[in-house]
Amino acid sequence: MQPERSLHWSFAFLGLLCLGFHAHAQKLVYRCETAGRVSYSDAPCVSAKEIDATPTQGMDRMTGTSRKGADVRRDEHNAAIANALKPLTGMTPDQYRVHNRRFKLSPSNKAECSRLDNSRPGLKQRAATAPTSDKAMAEVELYKARKLFNDLNC
């Protein structure tokens, strides 16, 4: 009876551990051009380009030691937790980060986020390769998908 009891406590602790870590989510950054002016935003616009805004992990030039900010250290810590839990969850650190970010969403919003995960790459490809006559429509469809993804906090 003792091993079974310890197993229950292990799963209870694991559940609390999963709930206790807040995944620091990196929002996408979009480069928008309107009337010849360039702007950057976390909200999508029509014909926006996604920009990689991953924070750098700097080094001190004099000592060669790492100078990481709190957000980078937190991301590394969460990735280490995700790697430690991988045998139990089967999720990579990126999948674990997405799971934690979507944990509190309603089931319908989770389903919509999953649908958008599958459709956005195709819409992006379609907007990039569409002929000029269909390009505007393809970019509007991509914008709508990005906007919904952003509004749902996927």
Side-chain angles (χ1 to χ4, degrees):
M1 186 177 277
Q2 189 67 11
E4 184 178 325
R5 190 173 201 192
S6 120
L7 185 64
H8 288 297
W9 280 108
S10 297
F11 281 117
F13 177 71
L14 180 64
L16 288 174
L17 185 68
C18 289
L19 291 174
F21 285 102
H22 171 69
H24 179 69
Q26 174 101 18
K27 288 199 123 201
L28 289 172
V29 176
Y30 299 98
R31 181 182 189 266
C32 301
E33 285 189 48
T34 309
R37 299 188 77 178
V38 176
S39 64
Y40 297 91
S41 175
D42 63 343
C45 62
V46 177
S47 71
K49 307 274 187 284
E50 291 180 358
I51 304 295
D52 181 17
T54 307
T56 59
Q57 298 180 11
M59 299 289 276
D60 186 340
R61 290 184 191 178
M62 300 300 268
T63 64
T65 59
S66 177
R67 292 178 47 191
K68 297 177 184 173
D71 56 340
V72 174
R73 287 193 308 269
R74 183 175 41 249
D75 285 343
E76 288 177 348
H77 182 262
N78 287 341
I81 294 292
N83 282 327
L85 294 176
K86 188 173 182 177
L88 296 174
T89 63
M91 291 187 271
T92 65
D94 288 335
Q95 292 169 331
Y96 187 73
R97 187 178 312 115
V98 169
H99 171 75
N100 283 342
R101 187 172 62 236
R102 295 179 182 172
F103 186 76
K104 292 184 180 180
L105 294 179
S106 69
S108 61
N109 285 355
K110 286 179 186 177
E112 186 66 17
C113 287
S114 294
R115 186 189 69 75
L116 288 169
D117 283 340
N118 293 329
S119 67
R120 283 186 323 136
L123 291 172
K124 194 175 186 182
Q125 179 67 26
R126 185 171 160 230
T129 61
T132 347
S133 58
D134 295 334
K135 190 161 188 76
M137 188 62 168
E139 287 181 351
V140 168
E141 287 180 22
L142 178 60
Y143 163 74
K144 287 179 181 177
R146 284 175 171 170
K147 177 92 170 99
L148 183 58
F149 189 84
N150 195 30
D151 291 345
L152 290 175
N153 291 321
C154 294

